[in-house]
Amino acid sequence: MAVIALASAKSSGVTTASLALALASPRPTLLAECDPSGGSIRGGFLGGQLNPHVGVYQLATAERQGPEHLAAAFAQQLRALDGRGDRQLLAGLADPRQAAAMAGTWAPLAQLLRLMDSQAGYDVIIDAGRLVTEAGGLHPVLSPSAVLHHADVVLLVVNGWLDSVAATAPVIELLQAELAARGSGADALGVLLVEDGPERPHGVSSALGVPVVAGLPWDAAPAAHLRRGAAAPRNFTRSPLMRSARSACGPIEALAQHRRVRQMPSQQPSPGVAGVLQRLAQARGTIHA
Ligand SMILES: Nc1ncnc2c1ncn2[C@@H]1O[C@H](COP(=O)(O)OP(=O)(O)O)[C@@H](O)[C@H]1O
Ligand SMILES: [Mg+2]
């Protein structure tokens, strides 16, 4: 079990990859949309079926009332990601203007996401969106820094075009410094390569100085199903995209476990928060769309 955050320097398939990994995971999974520029799954994969008031924005008010209110609100905001019952979604912001109100919420939410992994037995995939920087660091409102700091693995989604690689290099430098100073260490960082463009994994990895942990092929119809809610192509689950996503789970999990061995154990929850987590653990596999 692990907390995996996906982000990019330049839009390059973060949401599609997050969904592919969440749906490919062999374990109960929570997909948390923490992109301050707004969520895409409500209007995309879910085809606009989810009420705009449901999701991460509801946590901003609850957080101010303390960790137990936050945990209870969090549990109320989770929705089934698909019909299988053990994959859940914390939907993202419905309006980018809500990002300012979230600035103080990402850190307590990040703690809760860690507890969803350690206490409730979920793999957590975070869509952190395109990272916005300012002089010397991540932008405090337009990037969800705390969720990156608390992740076991931070995957920068890069494609095989030079502009994507070039835009990613400075963000890697900045993130390595942030993760070393305020996160779980610079080695949390890896690349997820979307195989579109001429660059190969070894070239990307040597250009960026960070390992390419996994790759996903460019596969238009399954990606349109994930990203836009287009009809699922025949054999969606056996498509190259979903097969690669299943294969990617292995090395990503291995990196997370390798790092875990050297990390501090996560904070113990208060009894109220532990109760909520226990109910979520018991609900695994029984929550339907
Ligand atoms: N692996 C892929 N194969 C084909 N198309 C993809 C793939 N990944 C992303 N896309 C397409 O690229 C566009 C941007 O993807 P998206 O996941 O929204 O990126 P981001 O979240 O980084 O902005 C979408 O139209 C999506 O369908
Ligand atoms: Mg996105």
Side-chain angles (χ1 to χ4, degrees):
M1 303 289 167
V3 179
I4 312 293
L6 280 76
S8 71
K10 203 172 158 71
S11 169
S12 44
V14 176
T15 300
T16 306
S18 302
L19 273 162
L21 291 177
L23 294 173
S25 167
R27 290 178 293 273
T29 302
L30 165 66
L31 174 52
E33 270 194 294
C34 301
D35 179 348
S37 76
S40 307
I41 295 175
R42 187 193 318 270
F45 184 62
L46 296 184
Q49 303 286 324
L50 187 61
N51 182 317
H53 299 295
V54 172
V56 73
Y57 185 55
Q58 300 302 328
L59 307 185
T61 323
E63 179 271 316
R64 286 178 213 119
Q65 298 167 288
E68 298 186 0
H69 285 270
L70 176 66
F74 170 80
Q76 274 172 12
Q77 297 306 316
L78 299 182
R79 293 294 182 276
L81 182 60
D82 64 358
R84 219 183 78 156
D86 58 356
R87 291 173 182 140
Q88 301 208 47
L89 172 70
L90 177 63
L93 300 178
D95 179 338
R97 288 173 297 184
Q98 296 169 334
M102 293 298 296
T105 307
W106 299 123
L109 174 59
Q111 298 283 358
L112 205 47
L113 295 176
R114 287 203 67 81
L115 292 170
M116 276 297 275
D117 164 32
S118 64
Q119 310 283 314
Y122 283 82
D123 269 347
V124 179
I125 310 269
I126 297 165
D127 178 345
R130 185 178 72 81
L131 299 178
V132 179
T133 60
E134 59 169 20
L138 292 174
H139 193 285
V141 170
L142 301 178
S143 291
S145 317
V147 297
L148 302 174
H149 297 157
H150 287 83
D152 295 305
V153 170
V154 178
L155 292 175
L156 279 168
V157 181
V158 178
N159 65 39
W161 295 102
L162 271 181
D163 63 332
S164 176
V165 178
T168 305
V171 171
I172 285 198
E173 223 170 86
L174 180 154
L175 265 181
Q176 282 175 325
E178 283 236 355
L179 292 171
R182 293 158 62 202
S184 67
D187 64 340
L189 212 52
V191 165
L192 180 69
L193 180 63
V194 175
E195 294 153 359
D196 177 34
E199 297 300 315
R200 296 286 162 258
H202 68 274
V204 172
S205 143
S206 54
L208 295 176
V210 165
V212 172
V213 181
L216 293 177
W218 190 254
D219 193 3
H225 170 57
L226 293 173
R227 180 61 187 84
R228 302 279 169 217
R234 250 164 33 99
N235 293 333
F236 168 70
T237 53
R238 280 182 278 135
S239 63
L241 179 60
M242 293 309 292
R243 277 174 196 258
S244 297
R246 283 194 290 278
S247 307
C249 291
I252 296 171
E253 173 80 13
L255 175 58
Q257 293 311 329
H258 172 74
R259 301 200 65 253
R260 260 295 151 89
V261 174
R262 290 173 291 131
Q263 271 177 252
M264 297 287 284
S266 48
Q267 234 174 282
Q268 281 304 310
S270 69
V273 173
V276 173
L277 292 165
Q278 202 178 355
R279 285 195 291 283
L280 286 170
Q282 283 160 359
R284 280 186 335 221
T286 61
I287 294 165
H288 292 280

